Amino acid sequence: MSARERLADALYGAGWSTVRKLPEPVAVRLGRTIADLAWRRRGEAVLRLESNYARVVPDAGPERLAELSRAGMRSYLRYWMESFRLPAWSAERIADGVDIEDIHHVTDALAAGRGVVVALPHLANWDLAGAWVTTKLGVPFTTVAERLKPETLYDRFVAYREGLGMEVLPHSGGSAFGTLARRLRNGGLVCLVADRDLSSSSGVEVDFFGGTARMPAGPALLAQQTGARLLPATLWYDDSPVMRGRVHPPVEVPASGTRREKTSVMTQALADAFATGIADHPEDWHMLQRLWLKDLDPARGRRGTS
């Protein structure tokens, strides 16, 4: 384990052990202070966030983009402060902390015995939304986590999410898709963050805010192979302590076409729903990485074209 990996593991460990004990107003102020310090440093992550916002809000000038990136960093740190404190929240606090519009799209399908895939972008706090599903709705679900380095840090994230009632599968290793398909065929719920492709070869190219990006094929493929309902969802913060969200109408499997063609159409529909939510609340989109193919290095940009 490198020194940088040890530091990352220690910092996240300190967050879950220390921040969770802070009174909520103190944690809120701490998160905002850290966000503002990071924003003023104008580091690589902040500049990338601003660059991504420039695509989402193409008519924004430098002052507007700076305002957005500052708000975006504050939203991002709100996510972390909430996540560090979630294991200490009561069931009542979790249930009262989220308000999701049109959740009936999920509950109606599950009540009918049909599997459901909920696909989300990196908006607001998807972990809190997951805790709300397991707590308020009483519905367990399965998700996938990116393998992080060091392994101890990945283990921390798995333990954290499992503590919130989620079944967590590793993204790498090749067995996740089969397990997800079995859960869906049994009428279960699968939730996947799906606005950034983590694979090296299976991503689907989509039009996203006027540029080409690559998003994972998994949600569309799972819906095709299992008959599960595919539902986009978006989240956002407002000025209250409650996180808001919306479940969008189902993405249907096209009646004709090859599997690749159907997957392309369905993934584009997900991207369009994500874009609607992101355009409405750009400051809550925590995309601090390169996403569009033009922003990726040439070698990576050529891989995985579908």
Side-chain angles (χ1 to χ4, degrees):
M1 186 188 303
S2 68
R4 183 174 182 177
E5 290 173 346
R6 286 195 298 271
L7 176 61
D9 184 52
L11 288 173
Y12 283 107
W16 272 302
S17 64
T18 303
V19 174
R20 67 186 293 178
K21 300 175 184 177
L22 296 175
E24 189 157 347
V26 176
V28 169
R29 288 196 300 271
L30 176 62
R32 180 161 291 200
T33 299
I34 295 171
D36 288 349
L37 286 172
W39 178 78
R40 283 195 291 268
R41 287 185 60 193
R42 307 287 294 165
E44 182 179 349
V46 173
L47 294 177
R48 175 50 52 193
L49 184 65
E50 213 163 274
S51 175
N52 289 339
Y53 287 161
R55 289 183 177 271
V56 175
V57 190
D59 58 346
E63 289 187 6
R64 172 61 175 148
L65 288 175
E67 291 173 357
L68 273 176
S69 64
R70 184 175 189 178
M73 290 304 295
R74 287 182 172 184
S75 176
Y76 184 53
L77 263 295
R78 176 174 172 175
Y79 160 80
W80 279 113
M81 292 299 109
E82 288 178 345
S83 296
F84 288 143
R85 291 174 48 75
L86 259 178
W89 282 14
S90 67
E92 183 180 16
R93 175 69 179 86
I94 293 172
D96 292 343
V98 179
D99 180 30
I100 305 292
E101 301 172 11
D102 296 328
I103 191 65
H104 68 87
H105 288 305
V106 175
T107 55
D108 289 352
L110 293 175
R114 186 174 183 181
V116 174
V117 180
V118 175
L120 309 91
H122 286 81
L123 273 169
N125 192 336
W126 45 96
D127 286 327
L128 174 55
W132 182 84
V133 167
T134 61
T135 302
K136 176 74 172 181
L137 302 185
V139 177
F141 67 89
T142 305
T143 189
V144 174
E146 180 182 2
R147 276 205 176 276
L148 304 172
K149 292 184 179 181
E151 190 74 15
T152 52
L153 181 56
Y154 170 77
D155 292 340
R156 286 185 191 275
F157 272 95
V158 170
Y160 156 64
R161 288 176 173 139
E162 288 180 342
L164 299 176
M166 311 176 194
E167 179 187 25
V168 183
L169 307 176
H171 178 268
S172 59
S175 62
F177 189 91
T179 301
L180 295 174
R182 286 193 296 273
R183 300 291 183 269
L184 292 168
R185 290 190 181 101
N186 289 330
L189 174 63
V190 167
C191 298
L192 301 171
V193 179
D195 56 344
R196 185 167 67 95
D197 179 44
L198 297 176
S199 73
S200 61
S201 60
S202 62
V204 177
E205 290 188 4
V206 295
D207 180 76
F208 197 55
F209 291 104
T212 302
R214 188 176 295 126
M215 294 186 181
L221 288 172
L222 285 166
Q224 290 177 63
Q225 293 193 19
T226 68
R229 175 148 289 179
L230 177 56
L231 297 170
T234 52
L235 306 168
W236 66 91
Y237 291 127
D238 57 18
D239 294 331
S240 77
V242 178
M243 183 180 71
R244 312 294 175 178
R246 176 192 174 200
V247 179
H248 296 251
V251 173
E252 303 293 347
V253 178
S256 61
T258 65
R259 185 174 70 170
R260 173 179 284 191
E261 290 167 344
K262 292 178 180 179
T263 300
S264 179
V265 170
M266 295 171 73
T267 306
Q268 182 64 59
L270 287 179
D272 292 343
F274 294 167
T276 297
I278 292 167
D280 288 342
H281 305 280
E283 68 279 3
D284 291 324
W285 189 40
H286 307 152
M287 185 54 65
L288 282 73
Q289 298 86 16
R290 299 175 188 270
L291 182 70
W292 283 270
L293 297 193
K294 283 188 176 181
D295 296 333
L296 298 170
D297 63 82
R300 183 176 176 185
R302 287 194 299 266
R303 289 189 307 206
T305 302
S306 82

